[in-house]
């Protein structure tokens, strides 16, 4: 029996016995997700949404974290978790709309585009298995396809559908590749910029030279492997040449990932394990125990040590951990606000502040805090009002964008009513017992991570009133105060 089918059978197509449940928890799933995003970016609707609204270039590790968590929620053993995640994705995607460079409208909730996203994941999964020497033919392939059909039905129950059979799927896939995919800007950003410029993961941020050296070697190889695995006709349309030896490199990469899953302990090759090593604060902590979905790393002292270190580091993550305020006047204040603009506000990394940047911040909050529909609507409405306030005060040329200098010059005066409403939404979702005070227990629930209850641990034992919470949030959004929690949410790549 193949590795992909080893999970057994399950009446629930997305349950813990499904192939998808098993595959999405393997580290080699990264090959599937990376290849699929290139195929998605070549779709004009999806490519336009990526270019104008996505943070995947400026914050690739954060985007990877959110994608991994979302995909695992979509195949969670609890059907209620899946339904909640599908509803959340539907709300977020419905807000991503606009027009591309040629004036064509796009909508991230478009049913055809959503079907193509799932199609690329299915085809890339099959490609991964076959290039790895793993059989996915006959009943195994039919079963895997049925699971992806169920995945799409959960995400888009009244819209997009995949062809009813695998045989018809391949005709559909070929027709989309030939007739719909284009040489989009998004494709070349993924291939030319994402790998070549990806910032260091949290574990290596204090060793930039080590990361730069490793990236210089790995980036061309990763790009070559992806390009070699794409359909030949699409490579030609995208102007991507297949260099000599890349096909051998591609097979070696895929075969090695399968070999690793067969000969190494399972805990070593789990996606959660890899993500936790790269970012020790990645995995949520439950009841002070192991990260959710991550096995205890018994017998692996190095990884177990990292996990324990991650728990301790998580205790230092606080919603608001203010450093001493910077000077309130002069060039130092402007530099602080300018740095805040580039690190926090410019979510898409294009050097300007516009609505997609603020929408990305709202999406990140909604994703991290798993807000329900009502709180999410309040949050987005407050961010939209704040954007209108910023436009009115700072967008003097009416081009719909604000420069870093414009924001820095007026940051101290940006405590408008809309920004206060954003802070109040955050306060309300944190103050779960509705006593108008936020304590350490509520911080812990809010961030889904270990938290130090020792009053000696600084702000961990602190109780914040609504007024104090709002004041600190406004200080953070003006770039005058540091916040470990918010920096992690907005600034880290």
């Amino acid at each position: 029996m193949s590795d992909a089918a080893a999970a057994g059978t399950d009446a629930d197509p997305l349950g813990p016995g499904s192939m998808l449940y098993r595959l999405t928890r393997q580290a080699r799933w990264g090959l599937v997700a990376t290849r699929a995003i290139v195929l998605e970016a070549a779709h004009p609707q999806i490519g336009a949404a990526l270019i104008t609204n996505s943070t995947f270039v400026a914050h690739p590790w954060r985007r990877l974290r959110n994608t991994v968590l979302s995909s695992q929620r979509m195949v969670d053993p609890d059907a209620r978790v899946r339904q909640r995640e599908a509803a959340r994705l539907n709300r977020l995607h419905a807000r991503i709309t606009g027009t591309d460079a040629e004036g064509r409208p796009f909508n991230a909730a478009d049913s055809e585009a959503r079907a193509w996203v799932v199609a690329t994941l299915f085809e890339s999964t099959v490609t991964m298995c076959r290039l790895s020497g793993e059989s996915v033919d006959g009943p195994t392939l039919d079963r895997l396809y049925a699971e992806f059909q169920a995945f799409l039905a959960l995400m888009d129950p009244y819209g997009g559908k995949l062809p009813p059979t695998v045989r018809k799927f391949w005709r559909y896939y070929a027709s989309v590749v030939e007739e719909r995919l284009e040489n989009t800007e998004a494709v070349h950003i993924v291939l030319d910029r994402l790998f070549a410029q990806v910032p260091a993961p949290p574990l290596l941020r204090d060793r930039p030279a080590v990361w730069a050296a490793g990236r210089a070697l790995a980036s061309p190889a990763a790009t070559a492997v992806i390009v070699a695995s794409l359909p030949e006709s699409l490579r030609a349309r995208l102007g991507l040449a297949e260099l000599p030896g890349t096909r051998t490199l591609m097979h070696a990469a895929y075969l090695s990932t399968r070999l690793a899953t067969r000969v190494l302990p399972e805990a070593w090759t789990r996606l959660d394990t890899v993500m936790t090593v790269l970012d020790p604060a990645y995995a949520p902590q439950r009841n002070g125990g192991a990260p959710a979905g991550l096995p205890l790393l018994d017998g692996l002292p190095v990884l177990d040590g990292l996990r324990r270190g991650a728990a301790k580091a998580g205790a230092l993550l606080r919603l608001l951990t203010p450093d001493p305020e910077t000077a309130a006047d002069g060039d130092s204040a402007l530099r602080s606000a300018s740095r805040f603009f580039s690190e926090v506000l410019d979510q898409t990394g294009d050097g300007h502040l516009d609505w997609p940047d603020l929408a990305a911040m709202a999406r990140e909050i909604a994703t991290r805090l798993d807000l329900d529909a009502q709180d999410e609507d309040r949050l987005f409405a407050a961010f939209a009002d704040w954007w209108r306030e910023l436009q009115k005060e700072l967008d003097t040329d009416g081009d719909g964008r604000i420069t870093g200098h414009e924001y820095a010059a007026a940051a101290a005066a940006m405590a408008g009513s809309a920004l206060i409403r954003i802070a109040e939404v955050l306060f309300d979702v944190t103050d779960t017992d509705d006593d108008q005070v936020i304590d350490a227990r509520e911080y812990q629930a809010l961030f889904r991570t270990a938290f130090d209850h020792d009053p000696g641990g600084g702000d961990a034992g602190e109780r914040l009133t609504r007024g104090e919470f709002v004041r600190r949030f406004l200080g953070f959004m003006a770039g005058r105060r540091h916040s470990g929690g918010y920096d992690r949410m907005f600034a880290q790549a």
Side-chain angles (χ1 to χ4, degrees):
M1 181 179 292
S2 70
D3 295 341
T9 59
D10 196 319
D12 182 352
L14 297 179
S18 69
M19 296 166 63
L20 254 181
Y21 181 88
R22 182 179 182 88
L23 286 168
T24 56
R25 280 157 174 77
Q26 295 179 352
R28 62 178 183 151
W29 182 256
L31 289 170
V32 171
T34 306
R35 182 179 182 276
I37 197 173
V38 177
L39 292 165
E40 294 163 18
H43 189 287
Q45 286 249 356
I46 303 171
L50 287 172
I51 286 294
T52 57
N53 288 271
S54 181
T55 63
F56 76 99
V57 172
H59 299 282
W61 294 107
R62 192 181 73 189
R63 173 66 182 269
L64 176 62
R65 172 197 180 277
N66 291 344
T67 299
V68 168
L69 290 177
S70 180
S71 64
Q72 293 183 352
R73 286 173 182 169
M74 290 290 284
V75 293
D76 192 90
D78 188 339
R80 293 170 297 181
V81 173
R82 297 180 226 159
Q83 294 287 348
R84 181 180 177 88
E85 180 63 13
R88 187 188 69 82
L89 290 175
N90 286 336
R91 294 194 303 269
L92 296 187
H93 288 158
R95 292 186 170 100
I96 301 177
T97 61
T99 56
D100 64 15
E102 298 181 13
R104 297 174 297 185
F106 66 84
N107 187 327
D110 177 76
S111 292
E112 178 207 349
R114 285 179 146 191
W116 178 243
V117 169
V118 177
T120 64
L121 289 170
F122 169 71
E123 189 273 341
S124 293
T125 300
V126 174
T127 296
M128 176 193 72
C129 292
R130 288 178 173 167
L131 290 175
S132 302
E134 185 176 352
S135 174
V136 284
D137 294 319
T140 300
L141 185 61
D142 290 337
R143 179 185 168 203
L144 181 62
Y145 186 60
E147 292 177 5
F148 274 97
Q149 287 178 306
F151 188 97
L152 178 58
L154 176 62
M155 181 185 294
D156 195 4
Y158 307 110
K161 288 181 173 56
L162 293 172
T165 66
V166 175
R167 183 183 296 273
K168 292 183 178 180
F169 170 83
W170 296 121
R171 291 199 291 268
Y172 153 78
Y173 178 82
S175 69
V176 174
V177 170
E178 295 298 327
E179 300 170 13
R180 288 288 285 137
L181 301 191
E182 300 176 358
N183 188 7
T184 66
E185 181 184 357
V187 169
H188 295 283
I189 285 180
V190 172
L191 293 175
D192 299 337
R193 288 180 51 193
L194 185 57
F195 290 116
Q197 301 177 17
V198 62
L203 188 68
L204 295 175
R205 283 193 181 131
D206 60 345
R207 292 174 173 81
V210 173
W211 175 251
R215 183 177 59 188
L217 295 174
S219 173
T223 302
V225 167
I226 293 173
V227 169
S229 70
L230 295 175
E232 185 176 351
S233 61
L234 180 60
R235 288 203 309 269
R237 194 176 318 140
L238 299 177
L240 301 172
E242 183 182 333
L243 301 176
T246 54
R247 190 156 292 272
T248 300
L249 178 64
M250 173 188 69
H251 281 284
Y254 279 92
L255 284 170
S256 63
T257 59
R258 186 194 177 197
L259 180 63
T261 63
R262 295 175 69 89
V263 303
L264 295 177
E266 181 183 359
W268 288 40
T269 59
R270 288 192 57 158
L271 185 56
D272 285 327
T273 303
V274 175
M275 292 292 294
T276 302
V277 170
L278 291 174
D279 182 357
Y282 154 74
Q285 306 289 315
R286 292 181 179 174
N287 302 322
L294 182 63
L296 289 174
L297 304 179
D298 295 331
L300 306 179
V302 175
L303 294 181
D304 197 35
L306 282 172
R307 181 179 63 78
R308 289 194 300 269
K312 294 177 182 178
L316 301 178
L317 294 176
R318 292 182 285 275
L319 182 60
L320 293 165
T321 311
D323 285 342
E325 291 193 21
T326 58
D329 56 358
D331 291 342
S332 60
L334 290 180
R335 281 197 299 271
S336 174
S338 297
R339 187 163 54 251
F340 175 81
F341 180 93
S342 62
E343 293 176 355
V344 175
L345 293 182
D346 184 15
Q347 290 286 297
T348 57
D350 62 1
H352 296 88
L353 176 65
D354 52 15
W355 169 242
D357 294 302
L358 299 192
M361 295 183 73
R363 286 198 304 273
E364 188 64 20
I365 293 174
T367 299
R368 288 289 189 101
L369 308 187
D370 196 19
L371 300 185
D372 60 25
Q374 181 178 0
D375 287 329
E376 187 180 289
D377 286 342
R378 286 180 61 205
L379 183 70
F380 270 89
F383 266 100
D385 288 343
W386 186 39
W387 172 237
R388 284 189 283 270
E389 288 181 0
L390 291 173
Q391 280 186 298
K392 180 179 179 181
E393 297 295 329
L394 301 181
D395 185 18
T396 55
D397 58 5
D399 66 351
R401 303 188 304 180
I402 296 170
T403 67
H405 179 74
E406 289 171 331
Y407 184 86
M414 287 299 100
S417 60
L419 195 56
I420 293 174
R421 286 198 297 277
I422 295 173
E424 290 183 332
V425 172
L426 292 176
F427 183 91
D428 290 340
V429 300
T430 307
D431 181 24
T432 54
D433 58 7
D434 199 29
D435 66 350
Q436 297 303 300
V437 175
I438 293 175
D439 56 28
R441 179 190 59 79
E442 289 167 328
Y443 279 134
Q444 179 184 19
L446 182 67
F447 281 97
R448 308 291 198 269
T449 190
F451 200 86
D452 186 357
H453 290 278
D454 180 2
D459 290 341
E462 191 173 21
R463 293 167 58 85
L464 297 178
T465 65
R466 180 181 294 269
E468 177 63 12
F469 183 95
V470 170
R471 184 184 73 81
R472 293 189 179 187
F473 179 80
L474 296 181
F476 172 79
M477 293 304 294
R480 296 191 303 270
R481 285 184 178 271
H482 168 75
S483 163
Y486 285 133
D487 278 349
R488 180 158 194 84
M489 186 178 290
F490 297 133
Q492 290 192 8

